[in-house]
Amino acid sequence: MPRLITRVAACVAIVGAVLWFQPRINEPAAQVSNGLNLRSAPDQRAERLAVLPVGTTVEVQRCLDDLQWCNVRAGGKNGWVSADYLIAKSDGKRVRLADAGKELGVVIETARPGG
């Protein structure tokens, strides 16, 4: 019985160590610089899910490779926004995500969803 307890404790310690050292994925944060439509797809004609007011902080999930549209999470909703109106910080300076997305480590999607 004591050997079983020792083995279970060792397994728990190993699993705990593995979980503790898992890399964290930090999604770049950006702020909305102008009232911005959150859309269901990367298209100006796509359904509008919400309007994000100036100053709203969003988590950038990924952007299309042309950096025109980004998939973001804001206030519990996911959707697409124009990258031209997202501002992020890089080296202490405010930059447009459309200009500096790749340098900021944004995940780039090489094909448009559904095609």
Side-chain angles (χ1 to χ4, degrees):
M1 186 67 154
R3 292 182 85 187
L4 177 62
I5 293 172
T6 303
R7 287 182 181 175
V8 169
C11 288
V12 169
I14 290 169
V15 169
V18 168
L19 292 175
W20 179 267
F21 290 104
Q22 285 293 312
R24 289 195 175 98
I25 298 173
N26 292 326
E27 296 160 340
Q31 285 193 325
V32 173
S33 67
N34 199 4
L36 188 57
N37 292 319
L38 182 69
R39 297 203 177 267
S40 61
D43 186 318
Q44 289 179 344
R45 296 167 297 198
E47 176 188 2
R48 181 173 52 192
L49 304 173
V51 176
L52 305 177
V54 174
T56 301
T57 298
V58 298
E59 293 176 16
V60 180
Q61 308 294 306
R62 65 189 185 279
C63 294
L64 297 180
D65 58 356
D66 60 6
L67 287 174
Q68 290 185 4
W69 289 90
C70 293
N71 185 267
V72 301
R73 183 178 334 166
K77 292 184 179 183
N78 287 341
W80 292 89
V81 297
S82 172
D84 285 334
Y85 302 103
L86 295 177
I87 304 296
K89 287 192 178 180
S90 176
D91 296 327
K93 297 178 184 173
R94 293 170 45 95
V95 295
R96 283 182 346 129
L97 199 65
D99 296 333
K102 292 178 183 175
E103 292 81 22
L104 293 170
V106 172
V107 174
I108 302 298
E109 185 174 298
T110 56
R112 290 193 178 269

Short mmCIF file of all heavy atoms in Angstrom, two decimals, residues 17-68:
data_model
loop_
_atom_site.label_atom_id
_atom_site.label_comp_id
_atom_site.label_asym_id
_atom_site.label_seq_id
_atom_site.Cartn_x
_atom_site.Cartn_y
_atom_site.Cartn_z
N ALA A 17 3.90 19.17 -12.85
CA ALA A 17 5.05 19.87 -13.45
C ALA A 17 4.83 20.13 -14.94
O ALA A 17 5.12 21.21 -15.45
CB ALA A 17 6.33 19.06 -13.24
N VAL A 18 4.28 19.15 -15.64
CA VAL A 18 4.00 19.31 -17.07
C VAL A 18 3.00 20.44 -17.29
O VAL A 18 3.18 21.30 -18.14
CB VAL A 18 3.51 17.99 -17.70
CG1 VAL A 18 2.95 18.21 -19.09
CG2 VAL A 18 4.63 16.95 -17.73
N LEU A 19 1.93 20.45 -16.51
CA LEU A 19 0.92 21.50 -16.65
C LEU A 19 1.48 22.88 -16.29
O LEU A 19 1.15 23.88 -16.92
CB LEU A 19 -0.30 21.18 -15.80
CG LEU A 19 -1.12 19.97 -16.25
CD1 LEU A 19 -2.23 19.69 -15.25
CD2 LEU A 19 -1.68 20.18 -17.64
N TRP A 20 2.30 22.94 -15.26
CA TRP A 20 2.87 24.21 -14.81
C TRP A 20 3.74 24.85 -15.89
O TRP A 20 3.74 26.05 -16.09
CB TRP A 20 3.68 23.99 -13.55
CG TRP A 20 4.30 25.25 -13.04
CD1 TRP A 20 5.55 25.74 -13.30
CD2 TRP A 20 3.69 26.22 -12.18
NE1 TRP A 20 5.74 26.92 -12.66
CE2 TRP A 20 4.62 27.24 -11.97
CE3 TRP A 20 2.44 26.30 -11.58
CZ2 TRP A 20 4.34 28.35 -11.19
CZ3 TRP A 20 2.17 27.40 -10.80
CH2 TRP A 20 3.11 28.41 -10.61
N PHE A 21 4.49 24.03 -16.64
CA PHE A 21 5.44 24.56 -17.61
C PHE A 21 4.90 24.60 -19.04
O PHE A 21 5.66 24.79 -19.98
CB PHE A 21 6.75 23.77 -17.56
CG PHE A 21 7.52 24.03 -16.31
CD1 PHE A 21 7.55 23.09 -15.29
CD2 PHE A 21 8.19 25.23 -16.11
CE1 PHE A 21 8.24 23.33 -14.11
CE2 PHE A 21 8.87 25.48 -14.94
CZ PHE A 21 8.90 24.53 -13.94
N GLN A 22 3.59 24.43 -19.22
CA GLN A 22 3.00 24.56 -20.55
C GLN A 22 3.15 26.00 -21.02
O GLN A 22 2.95 26.94 -20.26
CB GLN A 22 1.50 24.20 -20.52
CG GLN A 22 1.23 22.74 -20.40
CD GLN A 22 1.67 21.99 -21.64
OE1 GLN A 22 1.37 22.38 -22.75
NE2 GLN A 22 2.39 20.91 -21.43
N PRO A 23 3.50 26.19 -22.30
CA PRO A 23 3.62 27.56 -22.79
C PRO A 23 2.26 28.24 -22.81
O PRO A 23 1.25 27.62 -23.11
CB PRO A 23 4.17 27.39 -24.21
CG PRO A 23 3.80 26.01 -24.58
CD PRO A 23 3.76 25.20 -23.32
N ARG A 24 2.26 29.50 -22.48
CA ARG A 24 1.03 30.28 -22.53
C ARG A 24 0.97 30.99 -23.88
O ARG A 24 1.96 31.55 -24.33
CB ARG A 24 1.00 31.31 -21.40
CG ARG A 24 0.80 30.67 -20.06
CD ARG A 24 0.41 31.70 -19.02
NE ARG A 24 0.10 31.04 -17.79
CZ ARG A 24 0.95 30.92 -16.78
NH1 ARG A 24 2.14 31.43 -16.86
NH2 ARG A 24 0.59 30.29 -15.68
N ILE A 25 -0.19 30.97 -24.48
CA ILE A 25 -0.37 31.67 -25.74
C ILE A 25 -0.92 33.05 -25.41
O ILE A 25 -2.03 33.17 -24.89
CB ILE A 25 -1.33 30.91 -26.67
CG1 ILE A 25 -0.73 29.55 -27.00
CG2 ILE A 25 -1.62 31.72 -27.93
CD1 ILE A 25 -1.65 28.65 -27.77
N ASN A 26 -0.13 34.05 -25.68
CA ASN A 26 -0.56 35.41 -25.43
C ASN A 26 -1.11 36.00 -26.71
O ASN A 26 -0.39 36.17 -27.67
CB ASN A 26 0.59 36.27 -24.91
CG ASN A 26 1.02 35.86 -23.53
OD1 ASN A 26 0.21 35.45 -22.72
ND2 ASN A 26 2.30 35.94 -23.25
N GLU A 27 -2.39 36.27 -26.70
CA GLU A 27 -3.00 36.88 -27.86
C GLU A 27 -2.75 38.38 -27.78
O GLU A 27 -3.03 39.00 -26.76
CB GLU A 27 -4.48 36.56 -27.88
CG GLU A 27 -4.73 35.08 -28.03
CD GLU A 27 -6.11 34.66 -27.61
OE1 GLU A 27 -6.77 35.39 -26.87
OE2 GLU A 27 -6.52 33.57 -28.02
N PRO A 28 -2.21 38.96 -28.85
CA PRO A 28 -1.94 40.39 -28.81
C PRO A 28 -3.21 41.18 -28.55
O PRO A 28 -4.27 40.87 -29.09
CB PRO A 28 -1.40 40.69 -30.21
CG PRO A 28 -0.98 39.38 -30.77
CD PRO A 28 -1.85 38.35 -30.11
N ALA A 29 -3.10 42.17 -27.70
CA ALA A 29 -4.23 43.05 -27.42
C ALA A 29 -4.10 44.29 -28.29
O ALA A 29 -3.00 44.74 -28.60
CB ALA A 29 -4.24 43.45 -25.94
N ALA A 30 -5.22 44.81 -28.70
CA ALA A 30 -5.25 46.03 -29.49
C ALA A 30 -6.45 46.84 -29.03
O ALA A 30 -7.35 46.32 -28.37
CB ALA A 30 -5.36 45.71 -30.97
N GLN A 31 -6.43 48.13 -29.37
CA GLN A 31 -7.56 48.99 -29.04
C GLN A 31 -8.19 49.52 -30.31
O GLN A 31 -7.51 49.75 -31.32
CB GLN A 31 -7.11 50.17 -28.17
CG GLN A 31 -6.84 49.77 -26.75
CD GLN A 31 -6.71 50.99 -25.85
OE1 GLN A 31 -6.22 52.02 -26.27
NE2 GLN A 31 -7.17 50.85 -24.62
N VAL A 32 -9.48 49.72 -30.24
CA VAL A 32 -10.24 50.25 -31.36
C VAL A 32 -10.01 51.76 -31.42
O VAL A 32 -10.17 52.46 -30.43
CB VAL A 32 -11.74 49.92 -31.18
CG1 VAL A 32 -12.58 50.61 -32.22
CG2 VAL A 32 -11.95 48.41 -31.19
N SER A 33 -9.60 52.25 -32.61
CA SER A 33 -9.30 53.68 -32.75
C SER A 33 -10.48 54.48 -33.28
O SER A 33 -10.45 55.70 -33.28
CB SER A 33 -8.11 53.88 -33.69
OG SER A 33 -8.45 53.50 -35.01
N ASN A 34 -11.51 53.80 -33.75
CA ASN A 34 -12.68 54.45 -34.32
C ASN A 34 -13.85 53.49 -34.10
O ASN A 34 -13.62 52.29 -33.97
CB ASN A 34 -12.44 54.69 -35.82
CG ASN A 34 -13.37 55.72 -36.39
OD1 ASN A 34 -14.15 56.33 -35.69
ND2 ASN A 34 -13.28 55.92 -37.70
N GLY A 35 -15.08 53.96 -34.06
CA GLY A 35 -16.20 53.04 -33.94
C GLY A 35 -16.06 51.95 -35.00
O GLY A 35 -15.82 52.25 -36.16
N LEU A 36 -16.15 50.70 -34.61
CA LEU A 36 -15.78 49.61 -35.50
C LEU A 36 -16.84 48.51 -35.47
O LEU A 36 -17.27 48.08 -34.41
CB LEU A 36 -14.43 49.06 -35.04
CG LEU A 36 -13.72 48.04 -35.89
CD1 LEU A 36 -13.48 48.55 -37.30
CD2 LEU A 36 -12.38 47.69 -35.25
N ASN A 37 -17.25 48.06 -36.66
CA ASN A 37 -18.22 46.97 -36.75
C ASN A 37 -17.53 45.63 -36.56
O ASN A 37 -16.52 45.35 -37.19
CB ASN A 37 -18.90 46.98 -38.13
CG ASN A 37 -19.79 48.18 -38.31
OD1 ASN A 37 -20.50 48.58 -37.40
ND2 ASN A 37 -19.77 48.76 -39.49
N LEU A 38 -18.08 44.82 -35.68
CA LEU A 38 -17.65 43.44 -35.50
C LEU A 38 -18.54 42.60 -36.40
O LEU A 38 -19.76 42.61 -36.26
CB LEU A 38 -17.81 43.02 -34.03
CG LEU A 38 -17.36 41.62 -33.66
CD1 LEU A 38 -15.83 41.53 -33.75
CD2 LEU A 38 -17.82 41.26 -32.26
N ARG A 39 -17.93 41.91 -37.37
CA ARG A 39 -18.70 41.21 -38.40
C ARG A 39 -18.53 39.70 -38.30
O ARG A 39 -17.55 39.21 -37.76
CB ARG A 39 -18.30 41.71 -39.77
CG ARG A 39 -18.60 43.19 -39.95
CD ARG A 39 -18.75 43.57 -41.38
NE ARG A 39 -19.10 44.97 -41.54
CZ ARG A 39 -20.34 45.43 -41.64
NH1 ARG A 39 -21.36 44.60 -41.61
NH2 ARG A 39 -20.58 46.71 -41.80
N SER A 40 -19.47 38.97 -38.90
CA SER A 40 -19.45 37.51 -38.85
C SER A 40 -18.42 36.91 -39.80
O SER A 40 -18.06 35.74 -39.66
CB SER A 40 -20.84 36.95 -39.19
OG SER A 40 -21.21 37.34 -40.50
N ALA A 41 -17.95 37.67 -40.76
CA ALA A 41 -16.97 37.21 -41.75
C ALA A 41 -16.12 38.40 -42.18
O ALA A 41 -16.52 39.56 -41.98
CB ALA A 41 -17.67 36.59 -42.95
N PRO A 42 -14.96 38.15 -42.77
CA PRO A 42 -14.09 39.26 -43.21
C PRO A 42 -14.59 39.90 -44.51
O PRO A 42 -13.97 39.78 -45.56
CB PRO A 42 -12.73 38.60 -43.37
CG PRO A 42 -13.03 37.18 -43.69
CD PRO A 42 -14.29 36.86 -42.95
N ASP A 43 -15.72 40.59 -44.39
CA ASP A 43 -16.34 41.20 -45.56
C ASP A 43 -17.25 42.33 -45.07
O ASP A 43 -18.00 42.14 -44.10
CB ASP A 43 -17.17 40.14 -46.29
CG ASP A 43 -17.76 40.63 -47.61
OD1 ASP A 43 -18.26 41.77 -47.67
OD2 ASP A 43 -17.72 39.85 -48.58
N GLN A 44 -17.19 43.48 -45.73
CA GLN A 44 -18.00 44.63 -45.32
C GLN A 44 -19.50 44.34 -45.40
O GLN A 44 -20.29 45.01 -44.74
CB GLN A 44 -17.68 45.85 -46.18
CG GLN A 44 -16.33 46.43 -45.90
CD GLN A 44 -16.04 47.63 -46.78
OE1 GLN A 44 -16.70 47.86 -47.78
NE2 GLN A 44 -15.03 48.39 -46.41
N ARG A 45 -19.90 43.37 -46.20
CA ARG A 45 -21.32 43.03 -46.34
C ARG A 45 -21.77 41.94 -45.37
O ARG A 45 -22.95 41.61 -45.31
CB ARG A 45 -21.60 42.60 -47.77
CG ARG A 45 -21.36 43.74 -48.78
CD ARG A 45 -21.34 43.19 -50.15
NE ARG A 45 -20.20 42.26 -50.20
CZ ARG A 45 -19.64 41.82 -51.31
NH1 ARG A 45 -20.10 42.17 -52.45
NH2 ARG A 45 -18.62 41.00 -51.28
N ALA A 46 -20.83 41.38 -44.61
CA ALA A 46 -21.18 40.32 -43.66
C ALA A 46 -22.03 40.88 -42.53
O ALA A 46 -22.01 42.07 -42.24
CB ALA A 46 -19.92 39.67 -43.11
N GLU A 47 -22.77 39.99 -41.88
CA GLU A 47 -23.64 40.39 -40.77
C GLU A 47 -22.86 41.13 -39.69
O GLU A 47 -21.78 40.72 -39.27
CB GLU A 47 -24.27 39.13 -40.16
CG GLU A 47 -25.12 39.41 -38.95
CD GLU A 47 -25.57 38.13 -38.24
OE1 GLU A 47 -25.19 37.01 -38.66
OE2 GLU A 47 -26.28 38.27 -37.25
N ARG A 48 -23.42 42.24 -39.23
CA ARG A 48 -22.81 43.01 -38.14
C ARG A 48 -23.27 42.40 -36.83
O ARG A 48 -24.46 42.31 -36.55
CB ARG A 48 -23.20 44.48 -38.22
CG ARG A 48 -22.55 45.30 -37.12
CD ARG A 48 -22.77 46.77 -37.26
NE ARG A 48 -24.18 47.08 -37.41
CZ ARG A 48 -24.63 48.27 -37.78
NH1 ARG A 48 -23.80 49.24 -38.05
NH2 ARG A 48 -25.93 48.47 -37.90
N LEU A 49 -22.30 41.97 -36.02
CA LEU A 49 -22.60 41.34 -34.74
C LEU A 49 -22.66 42.35 -33.61
O LEU A 49 -23.39 42.16 -32.63
CB LEU A 49 -21.53 40.29 -34.42
CG LEU A 49 -21.32 39.20 -35.47
CD1 LEU A 49 -20.13 38.33 -35.10
CD2 LEU A 49 -22.58 38.37 -35.62
N ALA A 50 -21.87 43.42 -33.73
CA ALA A 50 -21.82 44.46 -32.69
C ALA A 50 -21.06 45.66 -33.25
O ALA A 50 -20.39 45.57 -34.28
CB ALA A 50 -21.10 43.94 -31.44
N VAL A 51 -21.16 46.77 -32.53
CA VAL A 51 -20.35 47.95 -32.83
C VAL A 51 -19.43 48.15 -31.64
O VAL A 51 -19.90 48.24 -30.50
CB VAL A 51 -21.22 49.20 -33.07
CG1 VAL A 51 -20.34 50.42 -33.28
CG2 VAL A 51 -22.15 48.99 -34.25
N LEU A 52 -18.13 48.18 -31.90
CA LEU A 52 -17.14 48.35 -30.83
C LEU A 52 -16.79 49.83 -30.73
O LEU A 52 -16.28 50.42 -31.68
CB LEU A 52 -15.89 47.53 -31.13
CG LEU A 52 -16.12 46.03 -31.38
CD1 LEU A 52 -14.81 45.34 -31.75
CD2 LEU A 52 -16.76 45.38 -30.17
N PRO A 53 -17.04 50.46 -29.59
CA PRO A 53 -16.74 51.88 -29.44
C PRO A 53 -15.23 52.16 -29.36
O PRO A 53 -14.43 51.27 -29.07
CB PRO A 53 -17.42 52.28 -28.13
CG PRO A 53 -17.94 51.04 -27.51
CD PRO A 53 -17.71 49.90 -28.42
N VAL A 54 -14.87 53.40 -29.60
CA VAL A 54 -13.48 53.84 -29.50
C VAL A 54 -12.93 53.46 -28.13
O VAL A 54 -13.61 53.61 -27.11
CB VAL A 54 -13.38 55.37 -29.68
CG1 VAL A 54 -11.97 55.87 -29.42
CG2 VAL A 54 -13.83 55.78 -31.07
N GLY A 55 -11.71 52.92 -28.11
CA GLY A 55 -11.05 52.57 -26.86
C GLY A 55 -11.30 51.14 -26.39
O GLY A 55 -10.68 50.69 -25.43
N THR A 56 -12.20 50.42 -27.05
CA THR A 56 -12.46 49.03 -26.68
C THR A 56 -11.19 48.21 -26.87
O THR A 56 -10.54 48.30 -27.90
CB THR A 56 -13.59 48.43 -27.55
OG1 THR A 56 -14.77 49.20 -27.37
CG2 THR A 56 -13.85 46.98 -27.18
N THR A 57 -10.84 47.41 -25.88
CA THR A 57 -9.69 46.51 -26.00
C THR A 57 -10.18 45.18 -26.54
O THR A 57 -11.17 44.64 -26.06
CB THR A 57 -9.00 46.31 -24.65
OG1 THR A 57 -8.52 47.59 -24.19
CG2 THR A 57 -7.82 45.35 -24.76
N VAL A 58 -9.48 44.69 -27.56
CA VAL A 58 -9.83 43.40 -28.16
C VAL A 58 -8.62 42.48 -28.11
O VAL A 58 -7.49 42.94 -28.09
CB VAL A 58 -10.31 43.58 -29.63
CG1 VAL A 58 -11.55 44.44 -29.69
CG2 VAL A 58 -9.21 44.14 -30.50
N GLU A 59 -8.88 41.18 -28.10
CA GLU A 59 -7.82 40.18 -28.21
C GLU A 59 -7.78 39.73 -29.66
O GLU A 59 -8.78 39.24 -30.19
CB GLU A 59 -8.11 38.98 -27.31
CG GLU A 59 -8.06 39.28 -25.84
CD GLU A 59 -8.44 38.08 -25.00
OE1 GLU A 59 -8.46 36.94 -25.52
OE2 GLU A 59 -8.72 38.29 -23.82
N VAL A 60 -6.65 39.88 -30.30
CA VAL A 60 -6.51 39.52 -31.71
C VAL A 60 -6.21 38.03 -31.80
O VAL A 60 -5.18 37.56 -31.31
CB VAL A 60 -5.39 40.35 -32.37
CG1 VAL A 60 -5.25 39.96 -33.84
CG2 VAL A 60 -5.67 41.84 -32.23
N GLN A 61 -7.11 37.29 -32.42
CA GLN A 61 -6.95 35.85 -32.59
C GLN A 61 -6.03 35.54 -33.77
O GLN A 61 -5.12 34.74 -33.65
CB GLN A 61 -8.31 35.19 -32.84
CG GLN A 61 -9.37 35.53 -31.81
CD GLN A 61 -9.04 34.97 -30.46
OE1 GLN A 61 -8.80 33.79 -30.31
NE2 GLN A 61 -8.99 35.81 -29.45
N ARG A 62 -6.32 36.17 -34.90
CA ARG A 62 -5.54 35.97 -36.12
C ARG A 62 -5.95 37.03 -37.12
O ARG A 62 -7.00 37.64 -36.99
CB ARG A 62 -5.76 34.58 -36.70
CG ARG A 62 -7.16 34.32 -37.19
CD ARG A 62 -7.36 32.85 -37.56
NE ARG A 62 -8.67 32.59 -38.14
CZ ARG A 62 -9.79 32.42 -37.45
NH1 ARG A 62 -9.76 32.49 -36.13
NH2 ARG A 62 -10.93 32.18 -38.05
N CYS A 63 -5.10 37.22 -38.14
CA CYS A 63 -5.40 38.16 -39.21
C CYS A 63 -5.19 37.47 -40.55
O CYS A 63 -4.39 36.52 -40.65
CB CYS A 63 -4.50 39.39 -39.14
SG CYS A 63 -4.75 40.41 -37.67
N LEU A 64 -5.87 37.95 -41.57
CA LEU A 64 -5.63 37.44 -42.91
C LEU A 64 -4.26 37.92 -43.38
O LEU A 64 -3.75 38.94 -42.89
CB LEU A 64 -6.71 37.92 -43.87
CG LEU A 64 -8.13 37.42 -43.55
CD1 LEU A 64 -9.11 37.95 -44.58
CD2 LEU A 64 -8.18 35.91 -43.50
N ASP A 65 -3.64 37.19 -44.30
CA ASP A 65 -2.26 37.49 -44.69
C ASP A 65 -2.07 38.87 -45.30
O ASP A 65 -0.98 39.42 -45.27
CB ASP A 65 -1.68 36.40 -45.59
CG ASP A 65 -2.48 36.18 -46.86
OD1 ASP A 65 -3.54 36.82 -47.03
OD2 ASP A 65 -2.04 35.36 -47.67
N ASP A 66 -3.12 39.49 -45.81
CA ASP A 66 -3.00 40.84 -46.35
C ASP A 66 -3.16 41.91 -45.26
O ASP A 66 -3.05 43.10 -45.52
CB ASP A 66 -3.99 41.08 -47.48
CG ASP A 66 -5.45 40.92 -47.03
OD1 ASP A 66 -5.71 40.73 -45.82
OD2 ASP A 66 -6.33 40.97 -47.91
N LEU A 67 -3.42 41.46 -44.03
CA LEU A 67 -3.60 42.32 -42.85
C LEU A 67 -4.69 43.37 -43.04
O LEU A 67 -4.61 44.47 -42.51
CB LEU A 67 -2.28 42.99 -42.45
CG LEU A 67 -1.26 42.05 -41.81
CD1 LEU A 67 0.06 42.75 -41.59
CD2 LEU A 67 -1.79 41.49 -40.50
N GLN A 68 -5.74 43.01 -43.79
CA GLN A 68 -6.88 43.91 -43.91
C GLN A 68 -7.96 43.58 -42.89
O GLN A 68 -8.67 44.47 -42.44
CB GLN A 68 -7.46 43.85 -45.32
CG GLN A 68 -6.56 44.48 -46.35
CD GLN A 68 -7.21 44.51 -47.72
OE1 GLN A 68 -8.36 44.11 -47.91
NE2 GLN A 68 -6.45 44.97 -48.69
#
